[in-house]
Amino acid sequence: QVQLVESGGGLVQAGGSLRLSCAASGRTFSSYAMAWFRQAPGKEREFVAVIRWSGGSTHYADFVKGRFTISRDNAKNTVYLQMDSLKPEDTAVYYCAADRVVVTKESPYWGQGTQVTVSS
C-alpha cells in the first residue's frame, strides 16, 4: 500500500517557478514508478511526467519538456516536480500517482491534488 500527499502548489505569475512535492508512505515506495498528472477545469486528467523506481528513467509530456523536471528521493520517500517557465495554460490541479510498473489514469494510488494557478 502507498499513501500520497502533495504540497507546494500556489499562485505564480507567468514565467515563474514552483516545486511540487509528493510525500509517500508505505514500505515499498522505492519499488514504485511515480508520476504527475494534472487536471484543468472542464478537461480530462492528463499525464505530465513519470519517473521509474530507480530514478534513472524519466518521461515527459511534450507540453512540459524543457520546462518541468521530475525527480525523486527514495530516502525521503518523496517525488518532486520542478516547474519553470510556467504558463497560464499550466493552471490545473496537480496529482501524483504510483504504480508498480506503468502509471496510468487507472493506477490505484493517488494523492488528493494541489492547485497550481498561473496568472498572465
Side-chain angles (χ1 to χ4, degrees):
Q1 288 284 341
V2 176
Q3 292 80 42
L4 307 173
V5 178
E6 302 97 334
S7 62
L11 173 64
V12 64
Q13 290 188 331
S17 299
L18 283 174
R19 188 175 82 154
L20 306 183
S21 299
C22 175
S25 61
R27 293 178 295 173
T28 58
F29 167 80
S30 61
S31 67
Y32 283 76
M34 303 292 296
W36 288 94
F37 288 74
R38 70 186 188 185
Q39 188 166 17
K43 296 187 177 181
E44 292 190 358
R45 192 169 298 190
E46 61 183 358
F47 166 78
V48 175
V50 65
I51 187 166
R52 305 304 178 199
W53 70 270
S54 66
S57 176
T58 59
H59 179 69
Y60 298 89
D62 286 344
F63 53 78
V64 302
K65 282 183 179 178
R67 300 189 299 125
F68 291 10
T69 304
I70 189 170
S71 61
R72 68 190 294 164
D73 185 337
N74 287 340
K76 295 182 178 180
N77 282 1
T78 302
V79 63
Y80 304 97
L81 186 69
Q82 177 67 40
M83 305 187 296
D84 299 317
S85 302
L86 282 162
K87 305 175 181 180
E89 51 264 44
D90 294 319
T91 295
V93 178
Y94 284 71
Y95 299 89
C96 66
D99 210 331
R100 285 287 187 182
V101 179
V102 178
V103 187
T104 70
K105 287 187 282 187
E106 287 69 44
S107 291
Y109 306 116
W110 290 84
Q112 82 289 350
T114 186
Q115 176 71 48
V116 172
T117 303
V118 185
S119 63
S120 58

